[in-house]
Amino acid sequence: MVLSEPLEFGHDDRKRIYEYVERHGAVDPLEAQEELGIEPGGFRHHVAILKRDGRLEEKDGTLRVTIDAGAEEEYRSEDLEFHIRPARQEDLAGIVGAIRQVAEERTYIEAESVADEVDHEEALLRHNELESRMFFVATVDDDVVGWVHLHAPELEKLSHTAELTVGVLDGYRGHGIGSHLLARGLEWAGTNGYEKVYQSVPSTNEDAIAFLETHDWETEAIRENHYKLNGHYVDEVMMAVEL
């Protein structure tokens, strides 16, 4: 399922099952059936139809939302092998940890808010009538070392735009991981019908600004004194790229 598809279910219980799974990330089918109060035969039927229609999938004994985001890719620099793939619910702790470590540099405010939101909701990927959220991760030996995140409101006037954050743990920079993550995220955004991707960073994050400019992002606006870091006011640099 791509995120540009309309959410239509044809039955109230089918919609309730999807929304329950989407809200929780990965759920045990029996627990979902009991929590929703749907009789077992009906529940199995609706889950079967949701699977048929590409809305849900079952993996490792849990139901989860199906999002078509491509396959895992392998890359190798001179002394490092890493993989980039769509995130899974099981990556939640690794992603939150990576974002928080990068955010400790106090130069990536938007990413820090993403970590807080994901950690609070305990659901990694979202696709509902209000918003869509997608992650890709970079892994080394199955451990998350970087991420790219895209968030889009399901509002008609903003449906062509998505907000992006991207980051790599300090010890794994310099291997091209950030560039590959950024490319994967933008490829996904273009495939799903988004026309413009944007993000905002403090003006003190010169490395991030230079990184984005290298990949053809442009500064659209600057909000003076928008952040207050370590007691000092810092401008917000609002950047974007057309797809």
Side-chain angles (χ1 to χ4, degrees), residues 37-56:
I38 300 173
E39 61 91 15
F43 182 86
R44 288 193 297 269
H45 169 72
H46 292 311
V47 168
I49 299 303
L50 288 166
K51 290 180 180 178
R52 181 203 67 185
D53 293 344
R55 299 293 184 188
L56 296 183

PDB file of all heavy atoms in Angstrom, residues 37-56:
ATOM      1  N   GLY A  37     -13.900  -6.235  20.674  1.00  0.00           N
ATOM      2  CA  GLY A  37     -15.184  -6.858  20.917  1.00  0.00           C
ATOM      3  C   GLY A  37     -15.869  -7.363  19.670  1.00  0.00           C
ATOM      4  O   GLY A  37     -17.108  -7.354  19.574  1.00  0.00           O
ATOM      5  N   ILE A  38     -15.088  -7.810  18.691  1.00  0.00           N
ATOM      6  CA  ILE A  38     -15.637  -8.356  17.451  1.00  0.00           C
ATOM      7  C   ILE A  38     -15.603  -9.879  17.551  1.00  0.00           C
ATOM      8  O   ILE A  38     -14.599 -10.454  17.957  1.00  0.00           O
ATOM      9  CB  ILE A  38     -14.810  -7.875  16.241  1.00  0.00           C
ATOM     10  CG1 ILE A  38     -14.824  -6.346  16.160  1.00  0.00           C
ATOM     11  CG2 ILE A  38     -15.354  -8.475  14.941  1.00  0.00           C
ATOM     12  CD1 ILE A  38     -13.907  -5.771  15.099  1.00  0.00           C
ATOM     13  N   GLU A  39     -16.697 -10.531  17.193  1.00  0.00           N
ATOM     14  CA  GLU A  39     -16.728 -11.987  17.322  1.00  0.00           C
ATOM     15  C   GLU A  39     -15.654 -12.613  16.427  1.00  0.00           C
ATOM     16  O   GLU A  39     -15.326 -12.081  15.361  1.00  0.00           O
ATOM     17  CB  GLU A  39     -18.124 -12.540  17.021  1.00  0.00           C
ATOM     18  CG  GLU A  39     -18.648 -12.267  15.636  1.00  0.00           C
ATOM     19  CD  GLU A  39     -18.292 -13.385  14.691  1.00  0.00           C
ATOM     20  OE1 GLU A  39     -17.903 -14.458  15.191  1.00  0.00           O
ATOM     21  OE2 GLU A  39     -18.392 -13.182  13.467  1.00  0.00           O
ATOM     22  N   PRO A  40     -15.049 -13.751  16.861  1.00  0.00           N
ATOM     23  CA  PRO A  40     -13.872 -14.305  16.193  1.00  0.00           C
ATOM     24  C   PRO A  40     -14.026 -14.540  14.692  1.00  0.00           C
ATOM     25  O   PRO A  40     -13.123 -14.205  13.912  1.00  0.00           O
ATOM     26  CB  PRO A  40     -13.630 -15.627  16.941  1.00  0.00           C
ATOM     27  CG  PRO A  40     -14.209 -15.390  18.300  1.00  0.00           C
ATOM     28  CD  PRO A  40     -15.399 -14.507  18.080  1.00  0.00           C
ATOM     29  N   GLY A  41     -15.162 -15.093  14.251  1.00  0.00           N
ATOM     30  CA  GLY A  41     -15.345 -15.363  12.832  1.00  0.00           C
ATOM     31  C   GLY A  41     -15.347 -14.087  12.004  1.00  0.00           C
ATOM     32  O   GLY A  41     -14.723 -14.017  10.938  1.00  0.00           O
ATOM     33  N   GLY A  42     -16.046 -13.096  12.500  1.00  0.00           N
ATOM     34  CA  GLY A  42     -16.084 -11.814  11.796  1.00  0.00           C
ATOM     35  C   GLY A  42     -14.725 -11.140  11.770  1.00  0.00           C
ATOM     36  O   GLY A  42     -14.320 -10.545  10.760  1.00  0.00           O
ATOM     37  N   PHE A  43     -14.018 -11.240  12.889  1.00  0.00           N
ATOM     38  CA  PHE A  43     -12.690 -10.629  12.961  1.00  0.00           C
ATOM     39  C   PHE A  43     -11.757 -11.262  11.934  1.00  0.00           C
ATOM     40  O   PHE A  43     -11.056 -10.561  11.204  1.00  0.00           O
ATOM     41  CB  PHE A  43     -12.118 -10.796  14.376  1.00  0.00           C
ATOM     42  CG  PHE A  43     -10.764 -10.162  14.556  1.00  0.00           C
ATOM     43  CD1 PHE A  43     -10.653  -8.820  14.880  1.00  0.00           C
ATOM     44  CD2 PHE A  43      -9.602 -10.907  14.398  1.00  0.00           C
ATOM     45  CE1 PHE A  43      -9.409  -8.230  15.053  1.00  0.00           C
ATOM     46  CE2 PHE A  43      -8.354 -10.339  14.566  1.00  0.00           C
ATOM     47  CZ  PHE A  43      -8.259  -8.994  14.895  1.00  0.00           C
ATOM     48  N   ARG A  44     -11.748 -12.605  11.871  1.00  0.00           N
ATOM     49  CA  ARG A  44     -10.872 -13.297  10.916  1.00  0.00           C
ATOM     50  C   ARG A  44     -11.231 -12.914   9.484  1.00  0.00           C
ATOM     51  O   ARG A  44     -10.345 -12.725   8.640  1.00  0.00           O
ATOM     52  CB  ARG A  44     -10.976 -14.809  11.112  1.00  0.00           C
ATOM     53  CG  ARG A  44     -10.312 -15.307  12.384  1.00  0.00           C
ATOM     54  CD  ARG A  44     -10.166 -16.826  12.371  1.00  0.00           C
ATOM     55  NE  ARG A  44     -11.479 -17.487  12.327  1.00  0.00           N
ATOM     56  CZ  ARG A  44     -12.160 -17.839  13.411  1.00  0.00           C
ATOM     57  NH1 ARG A  44     -11.673 -17.584  14.628  1.00  0.00           N
ATOM     58  NH2 ARG A  44     -13.344 -18.439  13.304  1.00  0.00           N
ATOM     59  N   HIS A  45     -12.534 -12.782   9.206  1.00  0.00           N
ATOM     60  CA  HIS A  45     -12.957 -12.402   7.855  1.00  0.00           C
ATOM     61  C   HIS A  45     -12.455 -11.002   7.497  1.00  0.00           C
ATOM     62  O   HIS A  45     -11.897 -10.794   6.414  1.00  0.00           O
ATOM     63  CB  HIS A  45     -14.482 -12.445   7.756  1.00  0.00           C
ATOM     64  CG  HIS A  45     -15.011 -11.824   6.497  1.00  0.00           C
ATOM     65  ND1 HIS A  45     -14.877 -12.421   5.260  1.00  0.00           N
ATOM     66  CD2 HIS A  45     -15.651 -10.626   6.284  1.00  0.00           C
ATOM     67  CE1 HIS A  45     -15.413 -11.638   4.337  1.00  0.00           C
ATOM     68  NE2 HIS A  45     -15.893 -10.559   4.932  1.00  0.00           N
ATOM     69  N   HIS A  46     -12.645 -10.054   8.404  1.00  0.00           N
ATOM     70  CA  HIS A  46     -12.238  -8.678   8.103  1.00  0.00           C
ATOM     71  C   HIS A  46     -10.715  -8.568   7.964  1.00  0.00           C
ATOM     72  O   HIS A  46     -10.222  -7.838   7.095  1.00  0.00           O
ATOM     73  CB  HIS A  46     -12.744  -7.737   9.192  1.00  0.00           C
ATOM     74  CG  HIS A  46     -14.239  -7.602   9.206  1.00  0.00           C
ATOM     75  ND1 HIS A  46     -14.974  -7.349   8.073  1.00  0.00           N
ATOM     76  CD2 HIS A  46     -15.131  -7.696  10.231  1.00  0.00           C
ATOM     77  CE1 HIS A  46     -16.256  -7.282   8.381  1.00  0.00           C
ATOM     78  NE2 HIS A  46     -16.382  -7.487   9.687  1.00  0.00           N
ATOM     79  N   VAL A  47      -9.988  -9.298   8.798  1.00  0.00           N
ATOM     80  CA  VAL A  47      -8.527  -9.284   8.678  1.00  0.00           C
ATOM     81  C   VAL A  47      -8.114  -9.872   7.332  1.00  0.00           C
ATOM     82  O   VAL A  47      -7.191  -9.357   6.658  1.00  0.00           O
ATOM     83  CB  VAL A  47      -7.874 -10.060   9.840  1.00  0.00           C
ATOM     84  CG1 VAL A  47      -6.390 -10.305   9.555  1.00  0.00           C
ATOM     85  CG2 VAL A  47      -8.037  -9.283  11.147  1.00  0.00           C
ATOM     86  N   ALA A  48      -8.777 -10.941   6.906  1.00  0.00           N
ATOM     87  CA  ALA A  48      -8.466 -11.551   5.613  1.00  0.00           C
ATOM     88  C   ALA A  48      -8.684 -10.558   4.477  1.00  0.00           C
ATOM     89  O   ALA A  48      -7.878 -10.484   3.531  1.00  0.00           O
ATOM     90  CB  ALA A  48      -9.309 -12.803   5.398  1.00  0.00           C
ATOM     91  N   ILE A  49      -9.756  -9.786   4.545  1.00  0.00           N
ATOM     92  CA  ILE A  49     -10.038  -8.805   3.500  1.00  0.00           C
ATOM     93  C   ILE A  49      -9.024  -7.657   3.553  1.00  0.00           C
ATOM     94  O   ILE A  49      -8.550  -7.176   2.511  1.00  0.00           O
ATOM     95  CB  ILE A  49     -11.474  -8.255   3.637  1.00  0.00           C
ATOM     96  CG1 ILE A  49     -12.484  -9.395   3.496  1.00  0.00           C
ATOM     97  CG2 ILE A  49     -11.742  -7.175   2.602  1.00  0.00           C
ATOM     98  CD1 ILE A  49     -12.370 -10.166   2.197  1.00  0.00           C
ATOM     99  N   LEU A  50      -8.656  -7.234   4.745  1.00  0.00           N
ATOM    100  CA  LEU A  50      -7.655  -6.171   4.882  1.00  0.00           C
ATOM    101  C   LEU A  50      -6.298  -6.624   4.334  1.00  0.00           C
ATOM    102  O   LEU A  50      -5.567  -5.835   3.724  1.00  0.00           O
ATOM    103  CB  LEU A  50      -7.533  -5.753   6.349  1.00  0.00           C
ATOM    104  CG  LEU A  50      -8.717  -4.954   6.903  1.00  0.00           C
ATOM    105  CD1 LEU A  50      -8.653  -4.881   8.419  1.00  0.00           C
ATOM    106  CD2 LEU A  50      -8.739  -3.544   6.307  1.00  0.00           C
ATOM    107  N   LYS A  51      -5.974  -7.894   4.546  1.00  0.00           N
ATOM    108  CA  LYS A  51      -4.747  -8.434   3.961  1.00  0.00           C
ATOM    109  C   LYS A  51      -4.860  -8.493   2.442  1.00  0.00           C
ATOM    110  O   LYS A  51      -3.923  -8.130   1.719  1.00  0.00           O
ATOM    111  CB  LYS A  51      -4.467  -9.833   4.523  1.00  0.00           C
ATOM    112  CG  LYS A  51      -4.041  -9.879   5.975  1.00  0.00           C
ATOM    113  CD  LYS A  51      -3.800 -11.326   6.397  1.00  0.00           C
ATOM    114  CE  LYS A  51      -3.367 -11.455   7.833  1.00  0.00           C
ATOM    115  NZ  LYS A  51      -3.181 -12.875   8.238  1.00  0.00           N
ATOM    116  N   ARG A  52      -6.006  -8.959   1.950  1.00  0.00           N
ATOM    117  CA  ARG A  52      -6.224  -9.053   0.503  1.00  0.00           C
ATOM    118  C   ARG A  52      -6.068  -7.701  -0.165  1.00  0.00           C
ATOM    119  O   ARG A  52      -5.479  -7.584  -1.255  1.00  0.00           O
ATOM    120  CB  ARG A  52      -7.617  -9.604   0.241  1.00  0.00           C
ATOM    121  CG  ARG A  52      -7.971  -9.787  -1.229  1.00  0.00           C
ATOM    122  CD  ARG A  52      -9.466  -9.797  -1.451  1.00  0.00           C
ATOM    123  NE  ARG A  52     -10.081  -8.493  -1.170  1.00  0.00           N
ATOM    124  CZ  ARG A  52     -11.380  -8.273  -1.195  1.00  0.00           C
ATOM    125  NH1 ARG A  52     -12.227  -9.270  -1.422  1.00  0.00           N
ATOM    126  NH2 ARG A  52     -11.878  -7.051  -0.944  1.00  0.00           N
ATOM    127  N   ASP A  53      -6.564  -6.662   0.495  1.00  0.00           N
ATOM    128  CA  ASP A  53      -6.543  -5.323  -0.083  1.00  0.00           C
ATOM    129  C   ASP A  53      -5.235  -4.580   0.174  1.00  0.00           C
ATOM    130  O   ASP A  53      -5.109  -3.400  -0.176  1.00  0.00           O
ATOM    131  CB  ASP A  53      -7.707  -4.501   0.473  1.00  0.00           C
ATOM    132  CG  ASP A  53      -9.057  -5.030  -0.002  1.00  0.00           C
ATOM    133  OD1 ASP A  53      -9.071  -5.818  -0.969  1.00  0.00           O
ATOM    134  OD2 ASP A  53     -10.083  -4.668   0.604  1.00  0.00           O
ATOM    135  N   GLY A  54      -4.275  -5.271   0.803  1.00  0.00           N
ATOM    136  CA  GLY A  54      -2.974  -4.645   1.036  1.00  0.00           C
ATOM    137  C   GLY A  54      -2.956  -3.623   2.136  1.00  0.00           C
ATOM    138  O   GLY A  54      -2.063  -2.774   2.201  1.00  0.00           O
ATOM    139  N   ARG A  55      -3.933  -3.682   3.047  1.00  0.00           N
ATOM    140  CA  ARG A  55      -3.976  -2.744   4.173  1.00  0.00           C
ATOM    141  C   ARG A  55      -3.179  -3.251   5.366  1.00  0.00           C
ATOM    142  O   ARG A  55      -2.499  -2.486   6.047  1.00  0.00           O
ATOM    143  CB  ARG A  55      -5.429  -2.509   4.603  1.00  0.00           C
ATOM    144  CG  ARG A  55      -6.325  -1.900   3.543  1.00  0.00           C
ATOM    145  CD  ARG A  55      -5.922  -0.490   3.214  1.00  0.00           C
ATOM    146  NE  ARG A  55      -6.849   0.122   2.271  1.00  0.00           N
ATOM    147  CZ  ARG A  55      -6.650   1.297   1.700  1.00  0.00           C
ATOM    148  NH1 ARG A  55      -5.551   1.970   1.979  1.00  0.00           N
ATOM    149  NH2 ARG A  55      -7.513   1.803   0.851  1.00  0.00           N
ATOM    150  N   LEU A  56      -3.302  -4.548   5.664  1.00  0.00           N
ATOM    151  CA  LEU A  56      -2.597  -5.140   6.795  1.00  0.00           C
ATOM    152  C   LEU A  56      -1.767  -6.320   6.328  1.00  0.00           C
ATOM    153  O   LEU A  56      -2.039  -6.934   5.295  1.00  0.00           O
ATOM    154  CB  LEU A  56      -3.585  -5.620   7.865  1.00  0.00           C
ATOM    155  CG  LEU A  56      -4.462  -4.589   8.576  1.00  0.00           C
ATOM    156  CD1 LEU A  56      -5.302  -5.280   9.638  1.00  0.00           C
ATOM    157  CD2 LEU A  56      -3.631  -3.463   9.180  1.00  0.00           C
TER     158      LEU A  56
END
